[in-house]
Amino acid sequence: MDCAIFGFQDNELRLLLVKRAIDPFKDQWMLPGGIMEEGHTLEESVNNVLFNLTGIHDVHQEQVKAYSRVDRHPVKRVLTVCFYALIKPENHPVIAKNYVSDVQWYSFSKLPGLGFDHDQLALDALHKLRGNLDQNLIFGELLPDKFTLKELQDLYESILDETLDRRNFRKKILQSGLVIPTNEKKVGVKGGPELYRIKK
Amino acid sequence: MDCAIFGFQDNELRLLLVKRAIDPFKDQWMLPGGIMEEGHTLEESVNNVLFNLTGIHDVHQEQVKAYSRVDRHPVKRVLTVCFYALIKPENHPVIAKNYVSDVQWYSFSKLPGLGFDHDQLALDALHKLRGNLDQNLIFGELLPDKFTLKELQDLYESILDETLDRRNFRKKILQSGLVIPTNEKKVGVKGGPELYRIKK
DNA sequence: ATTAAACTGTGTATAAATTACACAGTATAA
DNA sequence: TTATACTGTGTAATTTATACACAGTTTAAT
């Protein structure tokens, strides 16, 4: 399994990549991935893999799809199922472990070329994420507990890669009833914007 | 891999089921499925499996998702990736082969309980099909080359399990430009309706 | 041949959803 | 204190979706 871990930092959608320390694709960046374990589901296994490579643990994984091209691994036959997850980078400090020499958050718009067929997996994961955007307020995993509507809009714009009308966005989000005001204002930012939180 | 093969007959959405001749789940109905082959992709393998069980060959397979529950097979650990395909039953006569004792088209609304977790797979496949309905005119695989708008609407209604307004449906389909009139009329049906075909 | 039944083909009015757009107010930084 | 950068708000216009009725054509029955 492989997983596309998305984060949101400095107003940009980011993707967690690992640098591989062994052949094939030594020193190339790619999605964290590894092999399945007996007695565990794919979701459990991918979480274990993620922990073993980056120290991140217990995140909700959403399935993207399975890949089975015969030559997708240059040495042996490897199928993979790709997942994506959304996390707050500040809650999940990362460290390189095992056969990984480096771990970095890359701005999704400035990804390096990835090893294996991971360029494809990353793209498919983003499309899946976009498709899921309106269904469930998954962004809860990407933002702090309390956030301004501007922060939420920046997140949407990063994921969708398009600009949104501020008034219409605000209207749509508030009408959905899925976020509610906390009656607190964010300090340190001009305008003193209201803080909101996800309604549970 | 397993596959949900959809057909459209007698104005009903149907699903192709096989009756298993061996344990576990002997004599139970289920989706055709089998194991992966070396040197082939999942899509190729599932087509081979399908041929070996039913005689159907070479159909386009759309991936639904992977299933990995530890206890989904009562005897040993088996993962599966489920696909769906759309075919015209009249083009693909079926015969029971290998460990299959019977093959039948079941009305989707009157399915028997299925072996393994295939009730779940069938449902997920239907949902995936619904989601894909508007994107691409996949129904091309379910209808004859030339079809009336009523036949198309019946198909949509079967898949979506809801009734649609005839005039609005006609407007939407024709405006999409994806089907075009053939200037032929269907005979043997009252009203003498125009025949349409998919624009390629 | 006539008639009844079942279907086709067509347009408009209403409602709902989406889009476009401007200015006054507030907190911060200089 | 002032300039800057941001917040908060409503309405009109457009587009899209929905509701709905009747005359015409072909078949089947008599």
Side-chain angles (χ1 to χ4, degrees):
Chain A
M1 307 95 12
D2 297 290
C3 54
I5 306 290
F6 292 101
F8 188 64
Q9 229 175 7
D10 301 325
N11 237 16
E12 287 186 315
L13 185 67
R14 292 173 180 256
L15 185 63
L16 189 71
L17 298 180
V18 299
K19 186 186 253 183
R20 191 170 158 104
I22 57 176
D23 271 322
F25 293 105
K26 182 164 170 6
D27 293 329
Q28 284 229 28
W29 291 99
M30 59 190 60
L31 301 181
I35 63 172
M36 175 137 203
E37 299 157 305
E38 272 187 46
H40 293 273
T41 63
L42 287 163
E43 287 77 5
E44 290 162 359
S45 295
V46 76
N47 257 328
N48 291 339
V49 162
L50 191 61
F51 177 72
N52 289 333
L53 298 186
T54 67
I56 291 177
H57 53 90
D58 290 334
V59 299
H60 173 76
Q61 300 277 349
E62 196 80 12
Q63 189 179 136
V64 182
K65 64 174 287 196
Y67 297 82
S68 64
R69 253 187 37 224
V70 174
D71 60 351
R72 60 178 297 283
H73 190 296
V75 177
K76 56 182 190 289
R77 185 75 200 278
V78 180
L79 305 197
T80 193
V81 177
C82 185
F83 292 81
Y84 78 76
L86 306 175
I87 72 175
K88 305 180 223 244
E90 67 271 24
N91 291 1
H92 299 272
V94 296
I95 46 168
K97 293 165 68 177
N98 290 320
Y99 65 79
V100 160
S101 61
D102 199 0
V103 185
Q104 288 291 331
W105 287 100
Y106 272 85
S107 163
F108 201 94
S109 52
K110 294 170 207 146
L111 293 185
L114 305 183
F116 301 106
D117 50 2
H118 287 196
D119 290 322
Q120 184 65 51
L121 307 215
L123 256 184
D124 289 349
L126 177 64
H127 290 316
K128 183 90 177 182
L129 169 58
R130 277 184 192 163
N132 286 159
L133 233 203
D134 277 314
Q135 323 278 349
N136 30 28
L137 282 189
I138 45 183
F139 55 70
E141 288 279 348
L142 287 175
L143 289 175
D145 287 344
K146 296 173 182 176
F147 51 86
T148 68
L149 289 184
K150 172 138 189 3
E151 291 169 331
L152 181 57
Q153 183 175 346
D154 286 342
L155 172 58
Y156 265 71
E157 291 183 341
S158 301
I159 292 177
L160 297 174
D161 193 26
E162 59 182 314
T163 59
L164 303 171
D165 180 273
R166 194 158 57 89
R167 276 182 287 188
N168 293 338
F169 177 78
R170 162 182 297 265
K171 198 193 307 175
K172 185 176 126 190
I173 292 293
L174 292 180
Q175 276 176 358
S176 80
L178 295 171
V179 311
I180 50 183
T182 61
N183 294 318
E184 297 173 52
K185 286 179 184 301
K186 177 149 188 166
V187 294
V189 49
K190 294 170 179 174
E194 177 78 22
L195 284 165
Y196 292 80
R197 61 182 179 77
I198 308 287
K199 180 172 184 177
K200 60 170 176 56
Chain B
M1 307 95 13
D2 296 290
C3 53
I5 306 291
F6 292 101
F8 187 64
Q9 231 173 6
D10 302 325
N11 239 14
E12 286 187 315
L13 186 67
R14 291 172 180 259
L15 186 63
L16 188 71
L17 297 181
V18 299
K19 185 186 253 183
R20 190 171 158 107
I22 57 175
D23 272 322
F25 293 106
K26 185 165 171 357
D27 294 328
Q28 284 230 28
W29 291 100
M30 58 190 60
L31 301 181
I35 63 170
M36 175 137 203
E37 299 156 305
E38 273 189 44
H40 292 272
T41 64
L42 287 163
E43 286 79 4
E44 290 161 359
S45 295
V46 78
N47 257 326
N48 292 338
V49 160
L50 192 60
F51 178 73
N52 289 333
L53 298 185
T54 68
I56 292 177
H57 53 91
D58 291 333
V59 299
H60 173 76
Q61 299 277 350
E62 197 81 12
Q63 189 179 136
V64 182
K65 64 173 289 198
Y67 297 81
S68 64
R69 253 188 34 226
V70 174
D71 60 352
R72 58 178 298 283
H73 191 297
V75 177
K76 56 183 190 289
R77 186 76 200 276
V78 180
L79 306 197
T80 192
V81 177
C82 184
F83 292 82
Y84 78 76
L86 307 176
I87 73 174
K88 304 178 223 240
E90 66 271 24
N91 291 0
H92 300 271
V94 296
I95 47 170
K97 296 164 66 178
N98 289 319
Y99 65 80
V100 160
S101 60
D102 198 359
V103 186
Q104 289 291 331
W105 286 101
Y106 271 85
S107 163
F108 201 94
S109 52
K110 296 168 206 146
L111 293 184
L114 305 183
F116 299 106
D117 50 2
H118 288 195
D119 289 323
Q120 184 65 50
L121 307 216
L123 256 185
D124 289 350
L126 178 65
H127 289 317
K128 183 88 178 183
L129 169 58
R130 277 183 191 162
N132 285 160
L133 235 205
D134 277 316
Q135 323 277 349
N136 30 27
L137 282 189
I138 43 185
F139 55 72
E141 290 278 348
L142 287 176
L143 289 175
D145 287 343
K146 297 173 182 176
F147 50 86
T148 67
L149 288 185
K150 172 141 188 3
E151 291 170 330
L152 182 55
Q153 183 176 344
D154 285 342
L155 173 57
Y156 265 70
E157 291 183 342
S158 301
I159 293 176
L160 297 174
D161 193 27
E162 59 183 313
T163 59
L164 303 172
D165 180 272
R166 195 158 57 88
R167 278 183 285 190
N168 292 337
F169 177 77
R170 165 180 296 263
K171 198 191 309 176
K172 185 176 127 190
I173 292 294
L174 292 180
Q175 276 176 0
S176 79
L178 295 171
V179 311
I180 51 182
T182 61
N183 294 317
E184 296 173 54
K185 285 180 185 302
K186 177 149 189 167
V187 295
V189 48
K190 294 169 179 173
E194 176 79 21
L195 284 165
Y196 292 81
R197 62 182 178 77
I198 309 287
K199 181 172 184 175
K200 60 166 176 54

